[in-house]
Amino acid sequence: MEAPPRSRSLRFRLLVLFGLIVAGLFYYAIGSMVRDARQIAEMRAVEQGIELTTAASALVHELQIERGLSAGYLGSRGERFRSDLAGQRGQTDRRLEALREQARAVAGGPLDAIIGETLREALRQFDPLRETRQRIDALELAGNASFAFYTQNIDRVLGMLSGLGELDTGEELSDSLAGYQFFLLGKERAGRERATINAALSTDRPLEAEQEARLHTILAQQDAYFGQFPHFASAEAARRFDALLATPAALETARIRDRVIAQARRGEFGENAGHWFATITAKIEAMKEIEDLIADELHARVDAQSHAAWLGLWVSLALCLLSIALAAAFAWVLHHALRALDTAVHLAQSLAAGDLTARIEVTRSDEVGQLMQAMQTMTTKLSKIIGEVNSGADNLANASGQVSATAQSLAQSSSEQAASVEETTSSM
Protein backbone atom coordinates (compact mmCIF):
# COMPACT_ATOMS: atom_id res chain seq x y z
CA MET A 1 0.00 0.00 0.00
CA GLU A 2 1.42 3.39 -0.97
CA ALA A 3 2.33 5.71 1.96
CA PRO A 4 0.36 9.00 2.20
CA PRO A 5 2.09 12.27 1.22
CA ARG A 6 4.11 13.90 4.03
CA SER A 7 1.66 16.80 4.37
CA ARG A 8 -1.20 14.34 4.90
CA SER A 9 0.52 12.08 7.42
CA LEU A 10 -0.71 12.07 10.98
CA ARG A 11 2.81 12.60 12.32
CA PHE A 12 3.30 15.72 10.22
CA ARG A 13 -0.03 17.28 11.16
CA LEU A 14 0.40 16.58 14.87
CA LEU A 15 3.93 17.99 14.88
CA VAL A 16 2.83 21.13 13.00
CA LEU A 17 -0.11 21.68 15.35
CA PHE A 18 1.95 21.18 18.49
CA GLY A 19 4.80 23.26 17.04
CA LEU A 20 2.43 26.19 16.56
CA ILE A 21 1.21 25.87 20.14
CA VAL A 22 4.76 25.73 21.52
CA ALA A 23 5.84 28.63 19.28
CA GLY A 24 2.99 30.76 20.62
CA LEU A 25 3.88 29.86 24.18
CA PHE A 26 7.55 30.68 23.54
CA TYR A 27 6.63 33.98 21.92
CA TYR A 28 4.59 35.00 24.95
CA ALA A 29 7.19 33.79 27.47
CA ILE A 30 10.16 35.35 25.68
CA GLY A 31 8.25 38.59 25.17
CA SER A 32 7.49 38.67 28.90
CA MET A 33 11.13 37.96 29.70
CA VAL A 34 12.29 40.81 27.47
CA ARG A 35 9.80 43.22 29.05
CA ASP A 36 10.77 42.13 32.56
CA ALA A 37 14.48 42.44 31.74
CA ARG A 38 13.91 45.95 30.41
CA GLN A 39 11.94 46.87 33.53
CA ILE A 40 14.71 45.50 35.76
CA ALA A 41 17.26 47.62 33.89
CA GLU A 42 14.92 50.60 34.12
CA MET A 43 14.44 50.06 37.85
CA ARG A 44 18.21 49.87 38.26
CA ALA A 45 18.50 53.22 36.51
CA VAL A 46 15.71 54.64 38.67
CA GLU A 47 17.42 53.30 41.79
CA GLN A 48 20.66 54.98 40.74
CA GLY A 49 18.67 58.13 40.03
CA ILE A 50 17.13 58.10 43.50
CA GLU A 51 20.53 57.53 45.12
CA LEU A 52 21.88 60.40 43.04
CA THR A 53 18.91 62.55 44.00
CA THR A 54 19.46 61.76 47.67
CA ALA A 55 23.13 62.75 47.43
CA ALA A 56 22.24 65.89 45.46
CA SER A 57 19.52 66.94 47.91
CA ALA A 58 21.92 66.42 50.83
CA LEU A 59 24.45 68.70 49.11
CA VAL A 60 21.76 71.27 48.36
CA HIS A 61 20.71 71.22 52.02
CA GLU A 62 24.23 72.03 53.18
CA LEU A 63 24.71 74.63 50.44
CA GLN A 64 21.50 76.33 51.54
CA ILE A 65 22.83 76.62 55.08
CA GLU A 66 26.19 77.89 53.85
CA ARG A 67 24.42 80.40 51.61
CA GLY A 68 22.39 81.73 54.54
CA LEU A 69 25.40 81.93 56.84
CA SER A 70 27.44 83.66 54.12
CA ALA A 71 24.65 86.20 53.64
CA GLY A 72 24.59 86.93 57.38
CA TYR A 73 28.38 87.11 57.55
CA LEU A 74 28.59 89.59 54.68
CA GLY A 75 25.57 91.56 55.88
CA SER A 76 27.16 92.02 59.33
CA ARG A 77 30.55 92.85 57.78
CA GLY A 78 32.12 89.79 59.36
CA GLU A 79 30.85 90.40 62.88
CA ARG A 80 28.48 87.40 62.98
CA PHE A 81 28.38 83.72 61.90
CA ARG A 82 32.18 83.40 61.42
CA SER A 83 32.60 80.16 63.40
CA ASP A 84 29.29 78.70 62.18
CA LEU A 85 30.33 79.37 58.59
CA ALA A 86 33.68 77.63 58.99
CA GLY A 87 32.07 74.47 60.39
CA GLN A 88 29.33 74.49 57.74
CA ARG A 89 31.84 74.57 54.90
CA GLY A 90 33.22 71.24 56.09
CA GLN A 91 29.72 69.73 55.94
CA THR A 92 29.27 71.08 52.41
CA ASP A 93 32.59 69.65 51.25
CA ARG A 94 31.69 66.17 52.52
CA ARG A 95 28.36 66.23 50.71
CA LEU A 96 30.02 67.53 47.55
CA GLU A 97 32.49 64.64 47.58
CA ALA A 98 29.62 62.17 48.14
CA LEU A 99 27.86 63.55 45.04
CA ARG A 100 31.07 63.20 43.05
CA GLU A 101 31.23 59.55 44.14
CA GLN A 102 27.69 59.04 42.89
CA ALA A 103 28.61 60.72 39.61
CA ARG A 104 31.49 58.27 39.15
CA ALA A 105 29.11 55.38 39.84
CA VAL A 106 26.66 56.69 37.23
CA ALA A 107 29.34 57.12 34.54
CA GLY A 108 28.99 54.51 31.82
CA GLY A 109 25.67 53.20 33.18
CA PRO A 110 22.14 53.51 31.77
CA LEU A 111 21.61 56.79 33.63
CA ASP A 112 24.70 58.39 32.14
CA ALA A 113 23.02 58.96 28.77
CA ILE A 114 20.15 60.82 30.45
CA ILE A 115 21.78 63.12 33.00
CA GLY A 116 25.50 62.27 32.87
CA GLU A 117 26.63 65.38 31.01
CA THR A 118 24.31 67.66 33.01
CA LEU A 119 25.67 66.16 36.22
CA ARG A 120 29.28 66.69 35.20
CA GLU A 121 28.51 70.27 34.17
CA ALA A 122 26.83 70.92 37.52
CA LEU A 123 29.87 69.60 39.38
CA ARG A 124 32.23 71.75 37.30
CA GLN A 125 30.40 74.81 38.60
CA PHE A 126 31.89 74.13 42.03
CA ASP A 127 35.46 74.63 40.82
CA PRO A 128 35.47 78.33 41.95
CA LEU A 129 34.03 77.40 45.38
CA ARG A 130 37.34 77.75 47.25
CA GLU A 131 38.08 81.12 45.66
CA THR A 132 34.55 82.36 46.38
CA ARG A 133 34.87 81.39 50.04
CA GLN A 134 38.16 83.25 50.31
CA ARG A 135 36.56 86.39 48.85
CA ILE A 136 33.68 86.04 51.32
CA ASP A 137 36.13 85.73 54.23
CA ALA A 138 37.94 88.86 53.00
CA LEU A 139 34.60 90.70 52.57
CA GLU A 140 35.49 91.26 48.92
CA LEU A 141 32.25 89.78 47.59
CA ALA A 142 28.95 91.61 47.66
CA GLY A 143 25.97 89.94 49.34
CA ASN A 144 24.03 89.71 46.07
CA ALA A 145 26.99 88.10 44.30
CA SER A 146 27.40 85.53 47.08
CA PHE A 147 23.70 84.74 47.00
CA ALA A 148 23.81 84.40 43.19
CA PHE A 149 26.81 82.06 43.26
CA TYR A 150 25.26 79.60 45.71
CA THR A 151 21.83 79.84 44.13
CA GLN A 152 23.13 79.15 40.63
CA ASN A 153 25.00 76.09 41.85
CA ILE A 154 21.95 74.82 43.71
CA ASP A 155 19.75 75.43 40.66
CA ARG A 156 22.14 73.45 38.47
CA VAL A 157 22.14 70.53 40.88
CA LEU A 158 18.35 70.53 41.18
CA GLY A 159 17.92 71.11 37.45
CA MET A 160 19.96 68.02 36.76
CA LEU A 161 17.33 65.93 38.56
CA SER A 162 14.59 66.95 36.12
CA GLY A 163 16.20 64.59 33.59
CA LEU A 164 14.95 61.66 35.67
CA GLY A 165 11.52 62.35 34.21
CA GLU A 166 12.72 60.69 30.99
CA LEU A 167 12.87 57.32 32.73
CA ASP A 168 9.99 54.92 32.08
CA THR A 169 8.94 54.50 35.70
CA GLY A 170 5.20 53.95 35.54
CA GLU A 171 2.50 56.34 36.71
CA GLU A 172 2.79 55.74 40.47
CA LEU A 173 6.55 56.07 40.64
CA SER A 174 6.50 59.00 38.23
CA ASP A 175 4.08 60.85 40.53
CA SER A 176 6.33 60.14 43.51
CA LEU A 177 9.36 61.53 41.67
CA ALA A 178 7.37 64.61 40.66
CA GLY A 179 6.29 65.15 44.27
CA TYR A 180 9.89 64.73 45.42
CA GLN A 181 11.11 67.36 42.96
CA PHE A 182 8.32 69.79 43.91
CA PHE A 183 9.29 69.37 47.55
CA LEU A 184 13.00 69.92 46.84
CA LEU A 185 12.23 73.04 44.82
CA GLY A 186 9.96 74.39 47.58
CA LYS A 187 12.60 73.63 50.20
CA GLU A 188 15.19 75.46 48.10
CA ARG A 189 12.93 78.55 48.09
CA ALA A 190 12.74 78.26 51.87
CA GLY A 191 16.54 78.28 51.87
CA ARG A 192 16.57 81.38 49.68
CA GLU A 193 14.09 83.00 52.05
CA ARG A 194 16.44 82.21 54.95
CA ALA A 195 19.43 83.81 53.22
CA THR A 196 17.54 86.88 51.98
CA ILE A 197 15.93 87.73 55.31
CA ASN A 198 19.11 86.86 57.20
CA ALA A 199 21.01 89.45 55.15
CA ALA A 200 18.26 92.02 55.76
CA LEU A 201 18.20 91.45 59.53
CA SER A 202 21.99 91.52 59.71
CA THR A 203 22.11 95.00 58.18
CA ASP A 204 18.79 96.14 59.74
CA ARG A 205 18.43 98.57 56.85
CA PRO A 206 15.59 98.97 54.36
CA LEU A 207 15.54 96.38 51.61
CA GLU A 208 16.67 97.50 48.20
CA ALA A 209 14.03 97.33 45.49
CA GLU A 210 15.75 94.37 43.86
CA GLN A 211 16.08 92.59 47.20
CA GLU A 212 12.41 93.18 48.06
CA ALA A 213 11.25 91.95 44.64
CA ARG A 214 13.42 88.88 44.98
CA LEU A 215 11.92 88.09 48.39
CA HIS A 216 8.36 88.30 47.05
CA THR A 217 9.31 86.11 44.08
CA ILE A 218 10.88 83.53 46.39
CA LEU A 219 7.80 83.39 48.60
CA ALA A 220 5.44 83.09 45.62
CA GLN A 221 7.47 80.26 44.14
CA GLN A 222 7.68 78.55 47.52
CA ASP A 223 3.90 78.66 47.87
CA ALA A 224 3.46 77.34 44.32
CA TYR A 225 5.80 74.37 44.77
CA PHE A 226 4.48 73.42 48.18
CA GLY A 227 0.94 73.85 46.84
CA GLN A 228 1.61 71.24 44.16
CA PHE A 229 3.44 68.85 46.44
CA PRO A 230 0.40 67.32 48.25
CA HIS A 231 -1.15 66.28 44.91
CA PHE A 232 1.76 63.92 44.26
CA ALA A 233 2.82 63.02 47.80
CA SER A 234 1.81 60.00 49.82
CA ALA A 235 -0.81 60.43 52.55
CA GLU A 236 1.87 60.16 55.24
CA ALA A 237 4.16 62.75 53.64
CA ALA A 238 1.26 65.17 53.11
CA ARG A 239 0.12 64.68 56.71
CA ARG A 240 3.59 65.34 58.07
CA PHE A 241 3.95 68.46 55.92
CA ASP A 242 0.64 69.83 57.22
CA ALA A 243 1.79 69.11 60.76
CA LEU A 244 5.06 70.92 60.05
CA LEU A 245 3.25 74.11 59.09
CA ALA A 246 1.66 74.16 62.56
CA THR A 247 4.93 73.77 64.50
CA PRO A 248 6.29 76.67 66.63
CA ALA A 249 9.29 77.03 64.29
CA ALA A 250 7.03 77.42 61.23
CA LEU A 251 4.72 79.86 63.01
CA GLU A 252 7.65 81.93 64.29
CA THR A 253 9.19 81.92 60.82
CA ALA A 254 5.94 83.24 59.35
CA ARG A 255 5.77 85.96 62.02
CA ILE A 256 9.29 87.23 61.38
CA ARG A 257 8.77 87.06 57.62
CA ASP A 258 5.59 89.16 57.88
CA ARG A 259 7.50 91.65 60.03
CA VAL A 260 10.26 91.98 57.45
CA ILE A 261 7.76 92.39 54.60
CA ALA A 262 5.86 95.05 56.53
CA GLN A 263 9.06 96.96 57.39
CA ALA A 264 10.84 96.27 54.09
CA ARG A 265 11.01 99.92 53.02
CA ARG A 266 11.69 101.35 56.46
CA GLY A 267 14.18 98.95 58.00
CA GLU A 268 14.66 98.70 61.77
CA PHE A 269 12.98 95.30 61.86
CA GLY A 270 13.51 94.75 65.55
CA GLU A 271 14.40 91.07 65.03
CA ASN A 272 17.60 89.22 65.84
CA ALA A 273 19.32 87.69 62.83
CA GLY A 274 20.66 84.76 64.84
CA HIS A 275 17.19 83.96 66.16
CA TRP A 276 15.75 84.12 62.65
CA PHE A 277 18.44 81.86 61.26
CA ALA A 278 18.01 79.29 64.04
CA THR A 279 14.21 79.36 63.73
CA ILE A 280 13.95 78.89 59.98
CA THR A 281 16.80 76.38 60.08
CA ALA A 282 14.74 74.29 62.53
CA LYS A 283 11.84 74.48 60.07
CA ILE A 284 14.05 73.47 57.14
CA GLU A 285 15.56 70.62 59.17
CA ALA A 286 12.02 69.35 59.72
CA MET A 287 11.51 69.61 55.95
CA LYS A 288 14.67 67.52 55.55
CA GLU A 289 13.05 64.77 57.61
CA ILE A 290 10.05 64.79 55.26
CA GLU A 291 12.44 64.78 52.32
CA ASP A 292 14.14 61.68 53.76
CA LEU A 293 10.71 60.05 54.20
CA ILE A 294 9.90 60.68 50.54
CA ALA A 295 13.25 59.23 49.50
CA ASP A 296 12.59 56.12 51.61
CA GLU A 297 9.16 55.76 50.01
CA LEU A 298 10.73 56.03 46.57
CA HIS A 299 13.27 53.35 47.44
CA ALA A 300 10.48 51.09 48.71
CA ARG A 301 8.44 51.56 45.52
CA VAL A 302 11.45 50.89 43.31
CA ASP A 303 12.30 47.79 45.33
CA ALA A 304 8.72 46.54 45.01
CA GLN A 305 8.63 47.10 41.26
CA SER A 306 12.07 45.57 40.84
CA HIS A 307 11.01 42.54 42.89
CA ALA A 308 7.88 42.17 40.77
CA ALA A 309 9.96 42.40 37.59
CA TRP A 310 12.41 39.75 38.85
CA LEU A 311 9.50 37.51 39.85
CA GLY A 312 7.96 37.92 36.40
CA LEU A 313 11.31 37.14 34.78
CA TRP A 314 11.71 33.92 36.79
CA VAL A 315 8.12 32.90 36.04
CA SER A 316 8.68 33.50 32.33
CA LEU A 317 11.93 31.54 32.44
CA ALA A 318 10.20 28.68 34.26
CA LEU A 319 7.44 28.80 31.65
CA CYS A 320 10.02 28.54 28.88
CA LEU A 321 11.73 25.57 30.53
CA LEU A 322 8.36 23.94 31.14
CA SER A 323 7.48 24.47 27.49
CA ILE A 324 10.73 22.80 26.43
CA ALA A 325 10.10 19.87 28.79
CA LEU A 326 6.51 19.49 27.57
CA ALA A 327 7.62 19.67 23.94
CA ALA A 328 10.26 17.00 24.54
CA ALA A 329 7.79 14.79 26.41
CA PHE A 330 5.17 15.22 23.68
CA ALA A 331 7.71 14.42 20.95
CA TRP A 332 8.81 11.30 22.84
CA VAL A 333 5.23 10.10 23.38
CA LEU A 334 4.28 10.91 19.80
CA HIS A 335 7.36 9.12 18.41
CA HIS A 336 6.68 5.91 20.33
CA ALA A 337 2.94 6.01 19.69
CA LEU A 338 3.41 6.53 15.96
CA ARG A 339 6.11 3.86 15.82
CA ALA A 340 3.69 1.39 17.40
CA LEU A 341 1.00 2.59 15.02
CA ASP A 342 3.38 2.02 12.11
CA THR A 343 3.87 -1.56 13.32
CA ALA A 344 0.09 -1.99 13.43
CA VAL A 345 -0.17 -0.57 9.89
CA HIS A 346 2.47 -3.01 8.61
CA LEU A 347 0.59 -5.90 10.25
CA ALA A 348 -2.62 -4.76 8.60
CA GLN A 349 -0.83 -4.51 5.25
CA SER A 350 0.57 -8.05 5.74
CA LEU A 351 -2.92 -9.30 6.50
CA ALA A 352 -4.24 -7.55 3.41
CA ALA A 353 -1.54 -9.32 1.37
CA GLY A 354 -2.63 -12.65 2.83
CA ASP A 355 0.34 -13.20 5.15
CA LEU A 356 -0.98 -14.55 8.43
CA THR A 357 2.42 -15.45 9.80
CA ALA A 358 3.31 -11.88 10.87
CA ARG A 359 3.44 -11.32 14.62
CA ILE A 360 3.83 -8.18 16.75
CA GLU A 361 5.00 -7.78 20.33
CA VAL A 362 2.60 -5.74 22.42
CA THR A 363 4.51 -3.64 24.98
CA ARG A 364 1.95 -0.88 25.59
CA SER A 365 -1.24 -0.72 27.58
CA ASP A 366 -2.69 2.49 26.11
CA GLU A 367 -5.10 2.81 23.20
CA VAL A 368 -2.37 2.08 20.64
CA GLY A 369 -1.38 -1.01 22.63
CA GLN A 370 -5.00 -2.11 22.76
CA LEU A 371 -5.23 -1.67 18.98
CA MET A 372 -2.09 -3.77 18.46
CA GLN A 373 -3.42 -6.42 20.85
CA ALA A 374 -6.75 -6.50 19.00
CA MET A 375 -4.95 -6.90 15.66
CA GLN A 376 -2.77 -9.63 17.12
CA THR A 377 -5.89 -11.40 18.40
CA MET A 378 -7.56 -10.89 15.02
CA THR A 379 -4.54 -12.41 13.26
CA THR A 380 -4.58 -15.41 15.59
CA LYS A 381 -8.30 -15.96 15.09
CA LEU A 382 -8.03 -15.50 11.32
CA SER A 383 -5.25 -18.08 11.26
CA LYS A 384 -7.40 -20.46 13.29
CA ILE A 385 -10.46 -19.89 11.11
CA ILE A 386 -8.48 -20.33 7.91
CA GLY A 387 -6.89 -23.48 9.38
CA GLU A 388 -10.34 -24.82 10.16
CA VAL A 389 -11.54 -23.96 6.65
CA ASN A 390 -8.51 -25.71 5.15
CA SER A 391 -9.16 -28.78 7.30
CA GLY A 392 -12.83 -28.82 6.25
CA ALA A 393 -11.81 -28.45 2.63
CA ASP A 394 -9.43 -31.39 2.94
CA ASN A 395 -12.15 -33.52 4.52
CA LEU A 396 -14.55 -32.53 1.78
CA ALA A 397 -11.97 -33.41 -0.85
CA ASN A 398 -11.49 -36.83 0.74
CA ALA A 399 -15.25 -37.43 0.84
CA SER A 400 -15.57 -36.38 -2.77
CA GLY A 401 -12.85 -38.89 -3.71
CA GLN A 402 -14.65 -41.67 -1.91
CA VAL A 403 -17.95 -40.79 -3.63
CA SER A 404 -16.17 -40.77 -6.97
CA ALA A 405 -14.67 -44.22 -6.29
CA THR A 406 -18.06 -45.55 -5.25
CA ALA A 407 -19.61 -44.12 -8.35
CA GLN A 408 -16.95 -45.69 -10.52
CA SER A 409 -17.53 -49.07 -8.77
CA LEU A 410 -21.27 -48.79 -9.31
CA ALA A 411 -20.72 -47.93 -12.95
CA GLN A 412 -18.47 -50.94 -13.43
CA SER A 413 -21.04 -53.16 -11.70
CA SER A 414 -23.77 -51.78 -13.91
CA SER A 415 -21.68 -52.50 -17.01
CA GLU A 416 -21.03 -56.04 -15.90
CA GLN A 417 -24.73 -56.58 -15.18
CA ALA A 418 -25.65 -55.18 -18.57
CA ALA A 419 -23.22 -57.53 -20.29
CA SER A 420 -24.64 -60.41 -18.31
CA VAL A 421 -28.18 -59.47 -19.27
CA GLU A 422 -27.10 -59.18 -22.87
CA GLU A 423 -25.58 -62.71 -22.80
CA THR A 424 -28.68 -64.07 -21.15
CA THR A 425 -30.86 -62.44 -23.78
CA SER A 426 -28.69 -63.85 -26.54
CA SER A 427 -28.95 -67.35 -25.06
CA MET A 428 -32.67 -67.07 -24.82
Side-chain angles (χ1 to χ4, degrees):
M1 182 177 180
E2 185 180 356
R6 180 178 178 85
S7 61
R8 292 176 56 190
S9 68
L10 180 61
R11 183 192 303 270
F12 177 79
R13 284 181 285 178
L14 285 175
L15 287 176
V16 168
L17 179 60
F18 186 72
L20 291 175
I21 295 174
V22 172
L25 192 60
F26 265 106
Y27 178 79
Y28 171 77
I30 293 175
S32 297
M33 289 176 64
V34 170
R35 287 192 297 272
D36 291 335
R38 287 177 178 172
Q39 187 174 9
I40 290 171
E42 197 72 30
M43 287 302 102
R44 177 55 187 154
V46 172
E47 186 176 358
Q48 278 191 333
I50 293 174
E51 292 172 355
L52 184 66
T53 301
T54 303
S57 65
L59 172 62
V60 166
H61 183 74
E62 303 302 335
L63 283 171
Q64 290 167 344
I65 298 175
E66 184 174 338
R67 177 180 57 191
L69 290 171
S70 298
Y73 178 82
L74 291 172
S76 65
R77 303 302 298 171
E79 295 179 2
R80 298 177 181 175
F81 304 109
R82 179 184 293 274
S83 60
D84 293 335
L85 185 56
Q88 180 56 40
R89 287 171 177 173
Q91 295 287 343
T92 302
D93 290 341
R94 282 191 287 273
R95 295 301 184 180
L96 180 58
E97 182 57 31
L99 182 60
R100 288 194 171 111
E101 286 289 337
Q102 286 294 327
R104 286 190 284 270
V106 166
L111 200 61
D112 188 55
I114 299 176
I115 62 173
E117 185 56 37
T118 307
L119 174 58
R120 287 185 286 273
E121 178 63 27
L123 290 173
R124 280 195 291 269
Q125 299 303 310
F126 288 96
D127 292 343
L129 179 60
R130 180 185 297 274
E131 179 186 352
T132 301
R133 286 170 172 174
Q134 291 174 349
R135 294 182 64 192
I136 291 173
D137 290 341
L139 301 177
E140 295 176 356
L141 194 66
N144 289 341
S146 171
F147 181 89
F149 173 78
Y150 285 102
T151 299
Q152 288 171 3
N153 280 277
I154 291 172
D155 284 345
R156 282 190 176 276
V157 172
L158 292 178
M160 165 201 70
L161 302 179
S162 62
L164 297 177
E166 298 181 21
L167 295 172
D168 185 12
T169 56
E171 183 177 356
E172 182 179 357
L173 191 55
S174 178
D175 286 347
S176 298
L177 282 171
Y180 192 20
Q181 291 179 3
F182 277 128
F183 190 84
L184 290 176
L185 291 170
K187 180 170 168 287
E188 157 59 7
R189 268 57 187 182
R192 295 183 187 183
E193 175 191 1
R194 173 173 55 189
T196 302
I197 294 181
N198 196 38
L201 296 178
S202 296
T203 61
D204 205 30
R205 294 197 300 268
L207 271 64
E208 298 178 359
E210 179 185 355
Q211 192 177 14
E212 183 181 6
R214 184 178 67 198
L215 176 61
H216 285 290
T217 300
I218 289 170
L219 296 177
Q221 291 175 343
Q222 184 179 170
D223 291 340
Y225 288 130
F226 282 142
Q228 289 295 321
F229 165 69
H231 299 295
F232 300 93
S234 66
E236 176 63 15
R239 184 194 66 78
R240 290 181 62 172
F241 182 71
D242 289 338
L244 167 64
L245 297 179
T247 58
L251 296 176
E252 179 66 2
T253 296
R255 185 194 68 79
I256 297 174
R257 174 204 305 148
D258 292 342
R259 174 72 176 174
V260 170
I261 291 174
Q263 294 288 117
R265 300 184 182 181
R266 293 188 295 272
E268 300 180 358
F269 303 106
E271 300 289 345
N272 182 271
H275 172 67
W276 158 257
F277 192 89
T279 301
I280 193 171
T281 297
K283 176 185 175 182
I284 293 176
E285 288 294 337
M287 290 181 182
K288 185 67 171 65
E289 294 178 3
I290 299 176
E291 176 188 325
D292 294 339
L293 169 66
I294 301 170
D296 291 340
E297 290 176 344
L298 282 171
H299 278 292
R301 286 194 175 94
V302 171
D303 289 342
Q305 291 193 16
S306 181
H307 177 74
W310 273 109
L311 179 61
L313 182 61
W314 284 115
V315 169
S316 300
L317 181 59
L319 188 59
C320 280
L321 295 176
L322 180 61
S323 301
I324 294 173
L326 288 176
F330 178 81
W332 185 86
V333 171
L334 180 63
H335 171 72
H336 286 273
L338 292 178
R339 188 172 65 176
L341 193 59
D342 285 341
T343 304
V345 170
H346 290 138
L347 177 62
Q349 290 174 343
S350 298
L351 291 175
D355 181 10
L356 299 180
T357 62
R359 293 292 183 269
I360 55 176
E361 181 181 357
V362 180
T363 59
R364 307 170 63 93
S365 59
D366 55 10
E367 290 82 354
V368 176
Q370 293 173 10
L371 172 63
M372 295 173 67
Q373 182 62 53
M375 295 191 68
Q376 180 66 53
T377 303
M378 181 183 68
T379 303
T380 303
K381 288 186 176 181
L382 280 176
S383 297
K384 182 178 179 181
I385 291 172
I386 292 175
E388 291 175 353
V389 169
N390 287 334
S391 178
D394 290 341
N395 292 334
L396 182 60
N398 290 334
S400 297
Q402 291 176 1
V403 170
S404 177
T406 302
Q408 289 177 357
S409 177
L410 288 175
Q412 185 178 357
S413 297
S414 298
S415 297
E416 291 175 353
Q417 289 179 0
S420 177
V421 171
E422 185 177 354
E423 289 177 358
T424 302
T425 303
S426 175
S427 298
M428 290 177 65

